[in-house]
Every structure is written in structure tokens, then in C-alpha cells.
């Protein structure tokens, strides 16, 4: 079966639930709690196509009901899974899907691939603790848009199919309406899923989970002498590379707790995330993170800390501290290699020279000193010509200390000449590496405020723009501008 042949009516979307083949201790079967009078807030046409559903499915009343949790799809036996985790560096004990319910997994367009479908905000589960099992419209819009924006940036992530809303209110800092996000990933298993069995002293369950993960998601590791060690090494690599991707576009996750770390190396559980605007390596996007544990420049080392937490949990399976250390040992190497590769693309350099690190570092320092916008600086850098300064103005506009910038530009252009860089080719590479459009907080905020007044047009528009963030889309130039003054007062917290 070729990719484009997967087409189906909503009525023939059949769920299986691979996760439910695990022992009962891993989850609780339960149905979502219905929401009154749901309405469609947004849909990703790309994900609709990925699931093989035609746009006409949206006309089927069942679409809204299934993806709000008011009606079960064919063969769906929903469940919430158990996991634990370290939150802000401290063991937090049992957590689990407190408001996400797994409907099951379905075949998607990639040959033989399957994706799990979860409803986030679908009601109370046995793991809800003090929570109400709901997600508010505001944070759900942010997760919906950012999942698809990250995919547009070619960064591994969970995806979002659609978002439904309801006029039912829940209490946060203020009363807000609720929403249900339909999100997809091959698996939502977290580092904390492993930690759960380790800290509960249940090595048999730990092994069952690891075998399940290897068999379903890393079958190529089965033939390894020590498949568990190989699994840890692979997750370490994916996590390191994910951090390099985040750093390269200025993405900040905000809550890098081990329960939010995907075993597949995907960006998962979008909360108080942010994209770097005025460049400040110490920037903390999560207002609640007063210690700055998850600041931008901390992310790579926190990624490593989290891999160590996973290593600790997998130790009984791997066998020895020595073998566990070996599996973790290449984190720094993988991170640096990937980040260097991404930076070379961002700076439009084909050759790798020893002096490049200094050149890159100095550009970051300049951006920091000048409070220059991260995204726009790189985008404008990609427009320069190596032998004249006719295109320098746009970049210079973003810097206060123009002399310092000009000095750096001289070095940069010398470096370009050194590898006989071709302006046209370089511009193309850099355009494909440096996005013009990112999900700035203020853009999300405008879409949220409109949506709170039942106007969902801005969500659709942002989705369309952010699906192709590297394209010029000149008609959308307004969305690639520096944030307005009021944006600096926006605060994003864990409240969701
Ligand atoms: P998060 O910080 O969103 O990743 O959530 C951490 C934990 O709290 C997870 O176990 C969530 O399922 C749970 N949680 C967060 N918000 C709610 C809520 N409103 N109701 C129930 N559980 C929640
Ligand atoms: Mg979470």
C-alpha cells in the first residue's frame, strides 16, 4: 500500500490499543467524561491527511463527538496510563495521565506506521490527584499551535489533529472555558514511565515496559548483546539531538521534568513554553520557574540530567553501573555534533573549521549585548552578500552597536570567501535553516483572545503560516515582525 492510498471515512477509523497489551498495572481503562455542546476550534489539515481522513469528515457530527470524548470510535477501549517523575529536580512520586486519555492507535499514512491518539483535557482519571482532569482553551490553543509549528520546523514532536472547545468553565487563576486537544504520537511513554517501576521496586514490570518499548519502537536493538543498554544509548542520542534542535531555533520547553520527556525523543507536553525573542541565554520562559532551572542555556544539561535519571531507573535491567555509564557517555558528543551541524547550516557554512566556534559564539554574544531578536537576526544574516554590503542594512537595523556588528561581519565575510561560498546557494541553505515565522507569545495571545470570543480565524491563519515557517510568504510579513511593546508584559505559567 502506498502512502497516498490511505483514505477513509471517519466511520472506518478503527482503533487498536497496543498499549493495552501491557499488564493491567500499567493503566486504568476508563471513558472520557463528556463535555456539553462541544464546537470545533481548530483542525490541522496536515494531520487530517496523515490519519487518512478527508476534509469532509469534519461535516460528520461524529468527528466532534469522538474527538471531544463524548462518543467512542470503533473498537476504542480508552485508558489512562501510570507514570511517575522528577519535577524540578525532586522526586515527585506517582503522577500519571491526570487529564489525558488514550483512545488507542490507528494506522497512518507512512507505510505500516501507527500513531496513538490521546485526548488531553478529557476528564478525571485515577491519576488526576487534586486536578479536575480538564485543560483550558488558552493552554490548549498554545499546545495545538506549537505542536504543528515544531513539526513545521522539522523538530521531533507529538502532533495535534484538532481542538474542540466547550462553554463549560473551570477555575484557574480565573474562570476559563475548557477544551480538548486531540494529540498524536507513536507513543506517549515517558522517562517517568520507567522511573515509576524502578522507584516502586518492581523490576519485572520495568523489564516488561522496556521489552515493550524495544519491540514496538526500537526493533533494530533487539539483536544487541545488551538491548537495554542499547535502548538507553539510543534515547540518550535522541534526547541530545532534540536539545540541539531546540537550542537552534530558540525553543524553550519550560517544564523539562522527567515525566515530560518522551522515550522516543519527541517534544512532549507543551505548557509554559516560549521562543526566544530578544536574545538572552538566561531567559526563563516559565514564570513559575523562579530558580531558572529550565532557562534556555540550561536545557542541554537538563536533557543530560534527565537521561541520567532514566539511566538510574534502567540500571537493574542493564546490569551494572559501568554499562549504564557507557550508554550515557556520548550525550555531550551527540549534542555538540548536532548543534554544530545545525549552526553551520544556520550560518550557511559548508566546511567545518576550528575557528568557526569562535565566530558563532561572538555572534551570539553580539545578539545578547544588543538584545537582538534571535529569529530575525539569523533570517537577515541569510540575506547578506559576501562581497558587498548592499544587503547588510536589514541586519544592522537589529543591532545597536553597529560598529561591533560590522567588525564581526568582516570576519564572517572573510570566512565565507575562505570557502568560496556561493551567495545564491548559501541564501537557499540559510533560508531553509533559519525560520522567518515562529510562534511568538503575542501571536498566540492574539489568537487566544479572539478564540475566547468565539472567533477561531486567527488559529487557522497561524497554523497555515507556521506549517511553512521557512517560506517567505510575503503576504504574512506582519507575522514576522518584532513583538509589540505590550508583549513584554505577557507572563506564562504552569497554570493550564
Ligand atoms: P504537566 O505539568 O502538565 O506535565 O502535569 C504534571 C502532572 O499533573 C501530570 O500527571 C498531569 O496529568 C497532571 N495534571 C496537570 N493538570 C491537571 C488537571 N487539570 N487535572 C488533572 N491532572 C492534571
Ligand atoms: Mg506532563
Amino acid at each position: 500500500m502506498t502512502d497516498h492510498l490511505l483514505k477513509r471515512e471517519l466511520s472506518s477509523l478503527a482503533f487498536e490499543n497496543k498499549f493495552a497489551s501491557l499488564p493491567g498495572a500499567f493503566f486504568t481503562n476508563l471513558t472520557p467524561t463528556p463535555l456539553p455542546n462541544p464546537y470545533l476550534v481548530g483542525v490541522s489539515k496536515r494531520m487530517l491527511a496523515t490519519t487518512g481522513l478527508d476534509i469532509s469528515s469534519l461535516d460528520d457530527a461524529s468527528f466532534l463527538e469522538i474527538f471531544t470524548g463524548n462518543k467512542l470510535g470503533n473498537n476504542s477501549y480508552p485508558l489512562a496510563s501510570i507514570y511517575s517523575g522528577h519535577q524540578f529536580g525532586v522526586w515527585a512520586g506517582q503522577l500519571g495521565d491526570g487529564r489525558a486519555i488514550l483512545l488507542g492507535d490507528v494506522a497512518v499514512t507512512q507505510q505500516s506506521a501507527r500513531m496513538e491518539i490521546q485526548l488531553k483535557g478529557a476528564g478525571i482519571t485515577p491519576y488526576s490527584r487534586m486536578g479536575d482532569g480538564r485543560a483550558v482553551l488558552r493552554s490548549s490553543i498554545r499546545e495545538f499551535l506549537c505542536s504543528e509549528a515544531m513539526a513545521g520546523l522539522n523538530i521531533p514532536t507529538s502532533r495535534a489533529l484538532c481542538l474542540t472547545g466547550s462553554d463549560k468553565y473551570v477555575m484557574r487563576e480565573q474562570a476559563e472555558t475548557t477544551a480538548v486537544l486531540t494529540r498524536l504520537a507513536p507513543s506517549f511513554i515517558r522517562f517517568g514511565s520507567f522511573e515509576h517501576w524502578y522507584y516502586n521496586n518492581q523490576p519485572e514490570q520495568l523489564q516488561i515496559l522496556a521489552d515493550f518499548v524495544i519491540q514496538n519502537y526500537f526493533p533494530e536493538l533487539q539483536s544487541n548483546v545488551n538491548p537495554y543498554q542499547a535502548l538507553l544509548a539510543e534515547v540518550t542520542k535522541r534526547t541530545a539531538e532534540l536539545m540541539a534542535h531546540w537550542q537552534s531555533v530558540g525553543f524553550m520547553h519550560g517544564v523539562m521534568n522527567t515525566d515530560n520527556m518522551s522515550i522516543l525523543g519527541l517534544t512532549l507536553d507543551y505548557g509554559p513554553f516560549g521562543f526566544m525573542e530578544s536574545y538572552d541565554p538566561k531567559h526563563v520562559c516559565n514564570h513559575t520557574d523562579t530558580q531558572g532551572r529550565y532557562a534556555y542555556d540550561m536545557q542541554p544539561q537538563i536533557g543530560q540530567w534527565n537521561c541520567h535519571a532514566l539511566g538510574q531507573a534502567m540500571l537493574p535491567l542493564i546490569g551494572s553501573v559501568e554499562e549504564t555509564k557507557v550508554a550515557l557517555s556520548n550525550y555531550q558528543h551527540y549534542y555538540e555534533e548536532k548543534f554544530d551541524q545545525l549552526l553551520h547550516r544556520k550560518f550557511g557554512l559548508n566546511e567545518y573549521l576550528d575557528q568557526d566556534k569562535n565566530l558563532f559564539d561572538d555572534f551570539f554574544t553580539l545578539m545578547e549585548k544588543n538584545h537582538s531578536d534571535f529569529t530575525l537576526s539569523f533570517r537577515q544574516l541569510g540575506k547578506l552578500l559576501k562581497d558587498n554590503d548592499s544587503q547588510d542594512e536589514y541586519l544592522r537595523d537589529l543591532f545597536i552597536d553597529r560598529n561591533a556588528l560590522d567588525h564581526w561581519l568582516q570576519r564572517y565575510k572573510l570566512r565565507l570567501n575562505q570557502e568560496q561560498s556561493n551567495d545564491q546557494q548559501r541564501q537557499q541553505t540559510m533560508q531553509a535553516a533559519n525560520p522567518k515565522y515562529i510562534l511568538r507569545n503575542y501571536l498566540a495571545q492574539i489568537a487566544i483572545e479572539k478564540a475566547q470570543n468565539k472567533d477561531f480565524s486567527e488559529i487557522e491563519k497561524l497554523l497555515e503560516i507556521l506549517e511553512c515557517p521557512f517560506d517567505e510568504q510575503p503576504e504574512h510579513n506582519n507575522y514576522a515582525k518584532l513583538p509589540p511593546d505590550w508583549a513584554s508584559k505577557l507572563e506564562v505559567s504552569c497554570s493550564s
Side-chain angles (χ1 to χ4, degrees):
M1 188 175 78
T2 51
D3 279 7
H4 58 275
L5 286 181
L6 181 71
K7 284 239 183 329
R8 56 188 160 204
E9 304 281 312
L10 184 62
S11 57
S12 59
L13 183 74
F15 289 91
E16 288 178 23
N17 205 331
K18 196 161 54 198
F19 192 90
S21 69
L22 285 164
F26 283 80
F27 58 87
T28 303
N29 278 112
L30 80 177
T31 45
T33 310
L35 269 178
N37 306 317
Y39 40 82
L40 192 64
V41 173
V43 64
S44 158
K45 297 199 182 79
R46 280 198 182 171
M47 287 313 289
L48 205 57
T50 299
T51 47
L53 293 172
D54 190 75
I55 193 84
S56 62
S57 313
L58 301 179
D59 302 330
D60 184 336
S62 294
F63 187 93
L64 203 55
E65 295 187 77
I66 291 174
F67 296 119
T68 306
N70 292 4
K71 172 181 163 182
L72 290 183
N74 297 324
N75 247 345
S76 171
Y77 297 95
L79 60 85
S81 76
I82 199 164
Y83 55 82
S84 295
H86 278 88
Q87 298 188 320
F88 291 89
V90 179
W91 178 242
Q94 186 194 304
L95 304 163
D97 293 325
R99 54 176 170 169
I101 294 181
L102 180 65
L103 295 182
D105 50 87
V106 300
V108 292
T109 47
Q110 250 176 310
Q111 235 170 0
S112 73
R114 299 189 69 80
M115 292 269 249
E116 291 188 340
I117 303 190
Q118 260 196 0
L119 300 184
K120 184 168 174 177
I124 284 187
T125 79
Y127 318 110
S128 298
R129 298 175 294 154
M130 306 299 282
D132 55 11
R134 293 298 179 191
V136 296
L137 180 64
R138 163 180 55 84
S139 65
S140 305
I141 290 173
R142 286 169 51 82
E143 174 155 4
F144 177 62
L145 291 175
C146 202
S147 310
E148 293 309 286
M150 291 293 264
L153 292 166
N154 304 317
I155 297 180
T157 177
S158 63
R159 302 295 301 267
L161 171 66
C162 62
L163 182 59
T164 66
S166 164
D167 290 344
K168 183 183 156 66
Y169 278 89
V170 289
M171 271 318 289
R172 295 295 182 263
E173 276 103 3
Q174 56 198 36
E176 296 188 57
T177 62
T178 49
V180 174
L181 176 73
T182 300
R183 60 180 189 176
L184 291 86
S187 168
F188 290 93
I189 294 175
R190 300 128 197 281
F191 287 15
S193 312
F194 285 78
E195 288 180 291
H196 180 75
W197 300 114
Y198 173 77
Y199 285 95
N200 282 287
N201 215 357
Q202 300 201 45
E204 309 80 26
Q205 306 287 40
L206 184 65
Q207 181 168 358
I208 290 171
L209 179 64
D211 289 341
F212 177 86
V213 167
I214 293 171
Q215 190 191 340
N216 287 291
Y217 307 108
F218 300 89
E220 67 285 0
L221 303 182
Q222 269 165 334
S223 57
N224 264 273
V225 189
N226 187 338
Y228 307 118
Q229 185 195 28
L231 175 62
L232 180 61
E234 179 60 24
V235 178
T236 298
K237 179 168 192 264
R238 290 193 189 188
T239 307
E241 293 186 348
L242 182 67
M243 294 307 113
H245 274 293
W246 287 2
Q247 299 305 101
S248 79
V249 296
F251 174 78
M252 295 162 282
H253 183 283
V255 201
M256 289 177 65
N257 295 334
T258 55
D259 54 299
N260 291 335
M261 297 296 290
S262 152
I263 202 73
L264 302 183
L266 308 171
T267 312
L268 188 63
D269 279 13
Y270 292 87
F273 66 83
F275 280 88
M276 186 70 78
E277 295 190 314
S278 161
Y279 182 67
D280 168 14
K282 302 275 172 236
H283 187 73
V284 183
C285 64
N286 177 0
H287 180 62
T288 331
D289 179 10
T290 47
Q291 305 279 311
R293 178 178 169 87
Y294 300 136
Y296 170 79
D297 69 349
M298 292 290 289
Q299 295 191 129
Q301 77 191 72
I302 292 292
Q304 186 170 29
W305 192 97
N306 288 339
C307 287
H308 279 262
L310 177 64
Q312 177 73 51
M314 289 182 70
L315 183 62
L317 298 176
I318 295 172
S320 70
V321 173
E322 230 10 82
E323 288 161 295
T324 306
K325 273 189 181 167
V326 169
L328 293 164
S329 62
N330 281 325
Y331 180 93
Q332 194 64 20
H333 166 74
Y334 290 134
Y335 171 73
E336 279 169 16
E337 189 175 65
K338 188 72 192 177
F339 192 51
D340 195 40
Q341 183 198 344
L342 293 168
L343 281 188
H344 272 82
R345 287 190 64 220
K346 286 182 84 70
F347 283 93
L349 297 175
N350 291 322
E351 292 171 11
Y352 287 67
L353 302 183
D354 288 343
Q355 78 228 38
D356 293 343
K357 185 170 180 330
N358 269 340
L359 187 73
F360 299 163
D361 285 349
D362 291 346
F363 187 70
F364 279 96
T365 307
L366 272 178
M367 279 198 297
E368 183 183 356
K369 282 190 180 152
N370 289 268
H371 308 288
S372 311
D373 185 82
F374 182 96
T375 303
L376 292 183
S377 296
F378 275 106
R379 187 74 179 182
Q380 296 302 350
L381 189 69
K383 304 225 167 100
L384 302 187
L385 301 172
K386 75 178 162 46
D387 294 319
N388 70 64
D389 55 12
S390 63
Q391 299 302 311
D392 292 8
E393 276 324 297
Y394 306 100
L395 181 65
R396 291 177 95 241
D397 277 351
L398 298 167
F399 289 76
I400 306 156
D401 185 350
R402 308 249 157 100
N403 280 338
L405 177 69
D406 288 343
H407 185 71
W408 183 87
L409 281 176
Q410 270 177 13
R411 285 166 60 204
Y412 177 57
K413 291 185 179 185
L414 209 64
R415 174 67 183 79
L416 294 178
N417 273 303
Q418 219 172 340
E419 66 171 46
Q420 281 150 18
S421 184
N422 173 300
D423 278 340
Q424 216 184 342
Q425 276 172 10
R426 188 185 64 258
Q427 281 171 350
Q428 268 178 20
T429 318
M430 290 177 79
Q431 172 146 338
N434 297 312
K436 175 171 176 178
Y437 301 98
I438 49 157
L439 183 59
R440 295 177 186 273
N441 266 343
Y442 88 92
L443 292 175
Q445 188 60 28
I446 292 172
I448 289 166
E449 282 170 24
K450 285 194 173 173
Q452 286 167 337
N453 290 312
K454 295 271 166 62
D455 172 0
F456 308 127
S457 59
E458 198 61 18
I459 295 176
E460 193 181 339
K461 189 155 193 186
L462 279 179
L463 202 59
E464 180 197 319
I465 296 171
L466 295 169
E467 273 180 352
C468 309
F470 301 104
D471 292 358
E472 270 302 321
Q473 311 183 53
E475 69 281 18
H476 293 133
N477 274 343
N478 273 343
Y479 290 80
K481 284 192 176 153
L482 287 173
D485 286 343
W486 62 265
S488 62
K489 294 183 187 66
L490 285 175
E491 279 177 355
V492 189
S493 73
C494 273
S495 152
S496 60

